[in-house]
Amino acid sequence: MARPDKSAAVAELTDKFRSSNAAVLTEYRGLTVAQLKQLRRSLGENAQYAVVKNTLTKIAANEAGITSLDDQFAGPTAVAFITGDPVESAKGLRDFAKDNPNLIIKGGVLDGKALSADEIKKLADLESREVLLAKLAGAMKGKQSQAAALFQALPSKLVRTVDALRAKQAEQGGAE
């Protein structure tokens, strides 16, 4: 029979897996408490970094419908549960891992899809959501102004053609 405290821990972890957009598994062996505190700050306010028990977390992930992480629950494991922009938190993890080689990114999951450590690093190389949306808006605005110029050019070309025909007819009418 499962102990109530373990059942509660599994339920809490299951809720975190279900409510987060992404989860990143890391190995933190060799990091000090001060470094872990610094890591939590570098992840941003949309992420929670929790040191977890492998067996309980594996059960919670399976209950949340995430089975792709099963082989990564080995050694001391901590999970970053990301509820906001995953790019910001991935950048925080990548940058912290550069400065502290004891932090190893094992893998993770983003919107139900498994990610390898390399894919998480590629995610960190992306620009933030706000920058990408601004670039998209700029591109759309540019295309709109091109379309407006094109639509404006057609009637003005028609008017110039009609004027040229009138002028030609006037010349031919006056020459006869």
Side-chain angles (χ1 to χ4, degrees), residues 16 26 28 31-52 77-82 88-89 92-93 96-97 100 103:
K16 284 184 180 182
T26 62
Y28 63 93
L31 293 177
T32 65
V33 173
Q35 288 172 323
L36 286 173
K37 190 174 182 180
Q38 180 185 1
L39 172 59
R40 284 184 175 98
R41 271 191 253 118
S42 70
L43 288 176
E45 56 191 46
N46 295 327
Q48 289 182 334
Y49 190 73
V51 174
V52 294
T77 304
V79 182
F81 294 102
I82 304 164
E88 178 186 346
S89 299
L93 280 169
F96 188 86
N100 301 285
L103 180 73

